[in-house]
Amino acid sequence: GVAVSPAGNPLRLIYVGSCGGHYRLEAVFEAVAADRNLQLTACMPQDQWSTAREALGDIDDTRVTIKHLSNAQLPPVYASADVAMLYMQPDEYRKFAVPVKLFEYMAAGLPIVASEGTKAGQIVEELGVGWTIPYGERQLRELLGRLSADRNLVKTKADTVRSISQKNRWE
């Protein structure tokens, strides 16, 4: 099992998807920048990243890894993560749209951080497969700090994700 974080064992976050436009990820990048116990791997299309990169300012390359991968290349990346991010600013579209990544993250056994006021957040809450919190950098930093400090919180949710994923096959 996963024990409480020893120093130098960061909580490994993953985000897979688009960036820019509807996909506002500033809060995630800011939370990671503020807490040296966090690492982020973000997989996104090269062209979108080039555009979004400018809006994000300085990024600590020791703790943030950007990858441009096909779906077939994702399994090892998922396997090395602790928590998946679907933490985006709520808007009209997100009230009803469910990202396919929600089910991919679950199939990979990853608990999910999602935003209140989104359909993804509602599903995460109903299934108990992660944490749904209000959208904001402070709320995200508090949650990730708590998860980083107590890995049993992460393990418990990961166990729930795995048991639900075995019952429901979304392929």
Side-chain angles (χ1 to χ4, degrees), residues 4-171:
V4 172
S5 162
N9 177 14
L11 184 70
R12 296 162 309 182
L13 311 175
I14 185 169
Y15 170 78
V16 178
S18 299
C19 64
H22 269 299
Y23 300 86
R24 304 285 302 270
L25 300 171
E26 289 86 344
V28 175
F29 280 91
E30 285 161 15
V32 171
D35 185 340
R36 69 184 190 295
N37 293 316
L38 302 175
Q39 269 183 356
L40 171 67
T41 299
C43 304
M44 49 188 65
Q46 172 78 59
D47 54 334
Q48 291 179 5
W49 172 242
S50 305
T51 310
R53 172 89 188 72
E54 288 144 41
L56 293 167
D58 286 338
I59 291 166
D60 179 348
D61 293 334
T62 61
R63 291 191 295 109
V64 175
T65 307
I66 306 297
K67 297 181 182 248
H68 311 292
L69 303 173
S70 68
N71 277 348
Q73 295 170 300
L74 288 172
V77 182
Y78 282 142
S80 68
D82 299 311
V83 174
M85 306 303 293
L86 271 179
Y87 192 72
M88 295 169 200
Q89 203 162 8
D91 60 22
E92 283 307 309
Y93 174 70
R94 301 221 177 281
K95 282 183 185 154
F96 62 84
V98 180
V100 165
K101 290 296 170 231
L102 174 68
F103 303 108
E104 278 187 28
Y105 288 157
M106 286 181 64
L110 290 168
I112 299 161
V113 174
S115 332
E116 247 172 43
T118 65
K119 187 70 179 172
Q122 185 188 332
I123 292 170
V124 165
E125 199 158 281
E126 284 168 5
L127 294 177
V129 293
W131 306 269
T132 297
I133 58 172
Y135 185 83
E137 192 203 334
R138 183 180 55 78
Q139 290 90 330
L140 183 60
R141 278 169 62 175
E142 283 170 9
L143 172 65
L144 294 176
R146 223 168 59 233
L147 300 182
S148 173
D150 183 357
R151 298 303 166 87
N152 287 321
L153 296 172
V154 176
K155 185 189 178 309
T156 302
K157 290 291 186 190
D159 290 345
T160 303
V161 173
R162 279 191 289 275
S163 71
I164 288 175
S165 295
Q166 278 151 14
K167 289 188 206 106
N168 303 283
R169 295 270 176 232
W170 289 285
E171 278 76 27

